[in-house]
Amino acid sequence: MLEKKYPYYLANKAQTSKEWMDVVDKYSGKVATRVAVPDAKAVEQAIAAAVKATEPMREFKPWARQAVLQHCVKRFIERRDELAYALCVEAGKPIKDSDGEVTRLIETFTIAAEESVRTNGETINLEIAKRLDGYHGYTKRVPLGPVSFITPFNFPLNLVAHKVAPAIAAGCPFVLKPAERTPIGALIIGEVLAETDLPKGAFSILNLDGKHAGPLVEDPRFKLLSFTGSQIGWDLKTRAGHKKVTLELGGNAAVIIDADQGPHMDRVIDRLIFGAFYQSGQSCISVQRIYVHDSIYDELKKRLVAAVKKLKAGDPKKKDTFLGPMIDEAAAERLYGWIEEARKAGGKVLCGGKRKGSMLEATLMEDVPRDTKVNRQEVFGPFALLARYKDFDDAVAMVNDSDYGLQAGIFTDSLAHAMRAWNELDQGGVIVNDIPSFRVDNMPYGGVKLSGIGREGVRYAIEDMTELRLMVMREV
């Protein structure tokens, strides 16, 4: 069960307020709980506290940071069912998938605990010419200082973890704004962090809407802004000033099914189903465009449509539910409109395409014109399109014909095709023999083009939140 009310966190401490924000059960549409909303004074206090905590966090030794992260792992395991239930309610994510996200939360903090004692520098050979005899170079990594985070609704545990855990490991105080529609998971993380001996001001978690989050973007006292969300991120980058900015801004992920995949079709279809319709397609690397070799297209289409029609949709609290609601009715209505636009432009609906409230059927289309929204933009819902190709060069060109470049997938037995995909696909990552939706929390993750700048993944985030400091020593 959820608590009736949740606080926000200011300088490590729970706070209530006069203003409260409703959090809705995304399946029933009823108010599930309420969260305290900080005022402008509290936002300023949070930033000032983070600044004041800069030196104490730098002096907070790696073993102590590791102990904090290990405590979090222990408590997340103990509160696993509570975290999964909260996620199911606030995000509408099926309970089995919610439990899977708790697993990733635990794994991300575990990785950060390991990396917290590995922030090493290097020795540099400076004796590259006779005039430099006796000179030696050394580097170490030091925390940037106060950092700000803004996270989205679709992975309200794991995407928070990918910012918070590296910040602790790096020694950076932070202020976090979770998505206003899904703040509960972040607040439970805050409750656990409040149990630790982090220096005062090391963290604040503020339940703000976008209108009141400006200081987290614009305040020059922050040394880094890390944002995961929509294309509004480019505007935030402009407003951020001189601070470092990392952005993960979504995609319209494509996957190539090579001609040699006939014998592996069952596995390919199973992975396509997961990639396209897991958590109602509300993932930045959800499978959206499926390019299939002409020789196996008809067979794959027939079997994929049959498999999609068997998916169970409904109450996400039931263990056998695969497809839950979208985040709200407006999101479902938007995508339904895009599907209708594509259908009127000549696209063929193979299955699905209907909507009731925030529930949108798992939808497959083919013959979708190139310039339609479902082809060019990020659908962020339970939708995928099929298209055939005859030549591998054409498939590569079709994948690259996008303004986005987060991750792509290719199913192939050909090493040559796998290497060409890696070399030629304009993507942040290429996943061979699996879907582009594959992600492990220690790998570098991020995109190119409109998909953003920078890389997540614990070690890579720690590098973003630290800077190299050089020392040169001359023998005397």
Side-chain angles (χ1 to χ4, degrees):
M1 295 294 293
L2 299 181
E3 300 292 335
K4 291 183 179 180
K5 293 182 177 181
Y6 288 86
Y8 65 89
Y9 285 84
L10 172 59
N12 306 33
K13 292 185 177 181
Q15 304 285 342
T16 60
S17 64
K18 295 179 180 179
E19 184 179 352
W20 295 83
M21 180 168 58
D22 292 339
V23 179
V24 175
D25 181 316
K26 300 307 182 292
Y27 181 70
S28 72
K30 298 178 180 179
V31 174
T33 186
R34 306 177 78 203
V35 298
V37 178
D39 58 18
K41 180 180 178 181
V43 175
E44 168 57 31
Q45 289 174 329
I47 299 172
V51 172
K52 192 172 181 179
T54 298
E55 286 307 316
M57 277 296 286
R58 283 182 176 175
E59 295 169 4
F60 199 59
K61 299 301 183 183
W63 64 264
R65 301 172 196 169
Q66 183 180 61
V68 167
L69 293 160
Q70 288 172 337
H71 172 82
C72 291
V73 169
K74 176 177 178 292
R75 294 291 284 133
F76 296 155
I77 292 171
E78 293 170 351
R79 301 180 68 172
R80 182 185 197 108
D81 291 344
E82 176 190 0
L83 284 160
Y85 180 79
L87 178 55
C88 179
V89 171
E90 69 172 343
K93 185 174 296 193
I95 190 64
K96 63 180 180 180
D97 297 330
S98 296
D99 185 70
E101 187 170 338
V102 178
T103 296
R104 290 187 62 191
L105 166 72
I106 293 166
E107 289 175 349
T108 301
F109 270 77
T110 299
I111 296 164
E114 295 168 352
E115 292 293 341
S116 63
V117 293
R118 297 177 186 164
T119 51
N120 303 317
E122 63 177 336
T123 300
I124 305 172
N125 176 24
L126 299 180
E127 295 179 308
I128 59 173
K130 182 174 177 57
R131 65 184 178 83
L132 297 169
D133 285 353
Y135 283 89
H136 306 280
Y138 308 91
T139 64
K140 65 177 179 177
R141 303 203 74 91
V142 298
L144 276 181
V147 296
S148 62
F149 303 139
I150 301 176
T151 56
F153 70 80
N154 58 324
F155 284 90
L157 288 177
N158 194 47
L159 293 181
V160 167
H162 268 282
K163 301 185 189 303
V164 167
I168 295 170
C172 291
F174 66 87
V175 180
L176 163 70
K177 187 200 94 64
E180 55 260 42
R181 288 177 287 187
T182 56
I184 306 304
L187 297 174
I188 295 174
I189 292 172
E191 185 179 344
V192 170
L193 288 175
E195 299 169 353
T196 71
D197 60 352
L198 281 169
K200 182 180 179 181
F203 76 94
S204 295
I205 302 175
L206 307 179
N207 306 313
L208 300 167
D209 61 22
K211 295 178 183 177
H212 298 92
L216 274 66
V217 176
E218 298 163 0
D219 197 296
R221 289 172 289 181
F222 287 119
K223 305 305 179 185
L224 172 141
L225 165 66
S226 179
F227 172 82
T228 302
S230 68
Q231 292 296 303
I232 195 176
W234 297 113
D235 174 63
L236 302 186
K237 180 176 181 291
T238 301
R239 292 163 50 195
H242 297 297
K243 66 175 66 67
K244 184 186 293 188
V245 177
T246 63
L247 304 173
E248 198 275 89
L249 305 179
N252 58 356
V255 59
I256 298 170
I257 316 299
D258 212 347
D260 55 19
Q261 292 304 291
H264 315 306
M265 197 169 289
D266 286 343
R267 179 181 180 276
V268 171
I269 289 171
D270 182 66
R271 295 303 289 157
L272 291 177
I273 290 287
F274 179 85
F277 305 114
Y278 163 75
Q279 73 171 52
S280 296
Q282 294 172 121
S283 168
C284 294
I285 42 178
S286 173
V287 171
Q288 183 172 331
R289 299 177 293 144
I290 305 171
Y291 300 123
V292 187
H293 191 271
D294 185 69
S295 64
I296 61 171
Y297 180 90
D298 292 333
E299 179 66 16
L300 186 142
K301 178 179 74 171
K302 180 178 72 174
R303 291 165 65 173
L304 182 60
V305 169
V308 172
K309 289 180 177 179
K310 293 179 182 178
L311 297 179
K312 181 175 175 57
D315 187 346
K317 300 179 189 69
K318 295 182 178 180
K319 291 185 178 180
D320 61 344
T321 294
F322 183 89
L323 196 74
M326 293 183 67
I327 192 64
D328 56 30
E329 186 169 354
E333 186 176 14
R334 169 194 57 79
L335 181 50
Y336 175 76
W338 290 11
I339 292 168
E340 284 297 291
E341 175 200 61
R343 183 182 63 79
K344 291 175 182 177
K348 180 181 178 182
V349 177
L350 300 173
C351 60
K354 297 178 182 177
R355 179 184 74 87
K356 184 177 181 181
S358 60
M359 295 290 296
L360 182 67
E361 291 180 343
T363 304
L364 285 175
M365 294 188 73
E366 67 176 350
D367 301 327
V368 176
R370 173 185 176 276
D371 59 352
T372 56
K373 292 185 179 70
V374 294
N375 207 332
R376 304 300 303 176
Q377 299 187 30
E378 180 181 40
V379 298
F380 219 67
F383 171 92
L385 63 86
L386 290 169
R388 64 178 78 219
Y389 72 91
K390 291 185 178 180
D391 184 84
F392 190 74
D393 287 340
D394 294 336
V396 170
M398 292 162 80
V399 174
N400 282 341
D401 183 22
S402 172
D403 295 325
Y404 296 91
L406 192 46
Q407 290 194 161
I410 174 172
F411 287 85
T412 184
D413 290 341
S414 167
L415 178 60
H417 282 184
M419 295 302 293
R420 281 183 60 194
W422 190 24
N423 289 333
E424 298 177 19
L425 291 180
D426 195 9
Q427 304 284 322
V430 175
I431 313 300
V432 179
N433 288 327
D434 211 335
I435 48 177
S437 321
F438 177 85
R439 182 181 179 185
V440 179
D441 297 300
N442 64 339
M443 76 186 207
Y445 172 77
V448 297
K449 300 189 281 189
L450 290 185
S451 290
I453 51 175
R455 290 292 182 271
E456 291 185 346
V458 174
R459 179 163 65 88
Y460 308 93
I462 291 173
E463 289 179 358
D464 278 334
M465 295 180 205
T466 56
E467 56 189 356
L468 282 178
R469 183 167 294 171
L470 170 69
M471 178 180 72
V472 175
M473 182 177 292
R474 180 185 178 189
E475 293 176 11
V476 294

